[in-house]
Amino acid sequence: MIFVWQRNIVLATCFLLFFWFIEGVYLSSAFTKVPQGGWVSLVLAFVFLAVMFVWQYGTRKKYNFDLHNKVPLKWLLGMGPSLGIVRVPGIGLVYSELATGVPAIFSHFLTNLPAFHSVLVFLCVKSVPVPYVSPEERFLIGRICPRPYRMYRCIVRYGYKDIQRDDGDFEDLLIQSIAEFIQMEAVEPQLSSSESPSLDGRMAVISKKNVQSTSTLIVSEDFGMRDSIQSSKSLTLQSLRSAYAEENPQIRRRRVRFQLPENPGMDPAVKAELEDLIRAKEAGVAYIMGHSYVKARRSSSFLKKFAIDIGYSFLRKNCRGPSVVLNIPQISLIEVGMIYHV
């Protein structure tokens, strides 16, 4: 109430005391009637409290592990733009809960996958404590490492009443937002991290309205999956997409093609980066997520081992996966397992 709603501290205190009084009446009535069955409500309240505490505790431990084990950017810079592996055409959307830095699971990807995409986007979906986030303020785009690495960061912000619909426009808006950021970075060099490679580049709010009205790319649209299937160079991927289209005839995603406008005055480096982005989009988009297993350290206490290894693991197995919550198409999903010792 004080920080989000900007209300007076006296009003917030009165609100708290009022509901504390109501809760105190109910709690005292349950305590006075324990022999007559009042213990049932107390046990149920304790069970729900324990479930919420275990979930919050395990989630916080996992987030702190990511926060304190981020991949050093000096390590990425030392491997060069190829990252020490083969960079294949395509866009890899790496989901992360971190809004800054490179998550530890990315190094796990590099050591377990023989190749990686030519364009990498570290995607962070955040729920902010406001009801709605306007489309003009939804996307935050930034750069990781110098320009030849083709690595970007995107923070997508949703309010707690916003509905994340799988309408097929997310990928296209993301590509247009990155293209707009590349063009904006050429005009405003302070957004670039090339001068300070030890830090992430500054992030810019990319307005959806501005992207649609003054887009850096020329957009042409058609509906259906046939062109998307034929555009893939992999016969195996073509057969998988064909089977997916046959099993889901109700899905007809909009196919968007991007082209660069004729602009002789465009910076050659910016033009080359935009062309790489368009070629990567035509090659396909893959959603890369870490399938993490959280385990307590051997030196942990019995209570912590019980909360993490039994309670938190049980809750994670019986909750919807992140790919379901985020409406990620299964045909494009790549998951790599990793154990977190917290």
Side-chain angles (χ1 to χ4, degrees):
M1 292 181 67
I2 298 173
F3 293 103
V4 178
W5 295 349
Q6 300 295 322
R7 300 297 183 185
N8 190 286
I9 188 173
V10 177
L11 180 62
T13 304
C14 293
F15 180 86
L16 185 63
L17 293 175
F18 175 74
F19 279 95
W20 266 358
F21 175 76
I22 296 177
E23 292 291 336
V25 171
Y26 280 107
L27 184 61
S28 60
S29 64
F31 275 123
T32 56
K33 295 186 178 181
V34 167
Q36 289 80 24
W39 61 270
V40 176
S41 59
L42 295 175
V43 170
L44 288 176
F46 176 78
V47 170
F48 288 130
L49 178 64
V51 169
M52 290 186 290
F53 175 78
V54 167
W55 178 261
Q56 194 268 348
Y57 179 76
T59 303
R60 189 179 75 249
K61 286 292 184 181
K62 179 178 177 296
Y63 180 79
N64 288 336
F65 181 91
D66 278 331
L67 195 63
H68 293 95
N69 292 274
K70 293 187 290 188
V71 177
L73 291 184
K74 291 183 179 180
W75 181 66
L76 295 177
L77 294 171
M79 291 192 297
S82 66
L83 299 178
I85 55 176
V86 179
R87 300 290 290 268
V88 298
I91 296 178
L93 299 182
V94 183
Y95 277 84
S96 170
E97 295 180 2
L98 296 179
T100 59
V102 178
I105 203 166
F106 181 66
S107 61
H108 198 63
F109 289 150
L110 295 182
T111 55
N112 285 274
L113 298 179
F116 229 83
H117 301 81
S118 57
V119 175
L120 291 175
V121 181
F122 289 88
L123 195 62
C124 177
V125 180
K126 287 292 185 182
S127 295
V128 294
V130 294
Y132 300 100
V133 176
S134 62
E136 290 76 20
E137 300 179 351
R138 190 174 305 282
F139 287 93
L140 274 170
I141 305 294
R143 185 187 294 278
I144 300 176
C145 296
R147 178 172 290 172
Y149 283 74
R150 302 295 192 259
M151 296 170 61
Y152 310 93
R153 180 187 310 286
C154 176
I155 300 177
V156 187
R157 298 178 292 184
Y158 290 96
Y160 54 82
K161 285 189 176 180
D162 281 327
I163 300 176
Q164 302 181 32
R165 294 186 178 89
D166 185 19
D167 52 7
D169 291 337
F170 177 78
E171 293 178 8
D172 305 325
L173 286 174
L174 179 61
I175 300 304
Q176 293 180 70
S177 299
I178 294 176
E180 193 71 22
F181 170 80
I182 294 172
Q183 188 72 17
M184 184 188 304
E185 188 185 44
V187 180
E188 303 177 16
Q190 65 270 20
L191 293 176
S192 176
S193 62
S194 301
E195 300 298 328
S196 57
S198 61
L199 300 174
D200 283 347
R202 295 182 180 180
M203 305 194 71
V205 178
I206 305 298
S207 171
K208 179 180 176 182
K209 185 182 297 183
N210 292 339
V211 165
Q212 293 176 343
S213 60
T214 60
S215 178
T216 306
L217 306 178
I218 299 175
V219 181
S220 58
E221 303 178 357
D222 63 278
F223 289 84
M225 297 186 64
R226 184 177 301 275
D227 293 338
S228 175
I229 295 171
Q230 298 296 331
S231 64
S232 176
K233 297 180 180 180
S234 172
L235 296 178
T236 304
L237 188 56
Q238 286 184 17
S239 62
L240 287 173
R241 288 179 173 175
S242 300
Y244 181 76
E246 292 175 0
E247 293 177 0
N248 301 272
Q250 74 280 6
I251 297 178
R252 291 292 181 267
R253 289 187 176 272
R254 187 178 62 169
R255 176 69 174 172
V256 175
R257 297 184 182 276
F258 298 105
Q259 293 178 342
L260 274 180
E262 294 294 335
N263 185 3
M266 182 178 293
D267 187 348
V270 173
K271 183 178 180 181
E273 188 171 6
L274 292 174
E275 289 175 345
D276 289 345
L277 182 65
I278 293 174
R279 282 195 295 266
K281 175 63 170 67
E282 292 297 324
V285 179
Y287 296 80
I288 304 167
M289 302 189 69
H291 193 88
S292 57
Y293 298 89
V294 183
K295 299 290 184 182
R297 294 193 181 97
R298 292 183 178 179
S299 58
S300 302
S301 63
F302 172 79
L303 189 59
K304 182 179 178 180
K305 290 181 179 179
F306 180 83
I308 297 295
D309 296 344
I310 298 178
Y312 186 68
S313 298
F314 175 80
L315 293 175
R316 281 181 61 88
K317 290 179 182 178
N318 290 275
C319 290
R320 293 186 303 168
S323 61
V324 178
V325 176
L326 298 172
N327 295 318
I328 295 177
Q330 295 296 315
I331 192 66
S332 305
L333 177 62
I334 300 175
E335 287 188 298
V336 177
M338 181 177 178
I339 298 179
Y340 284 59
H341 291 284
V342 298

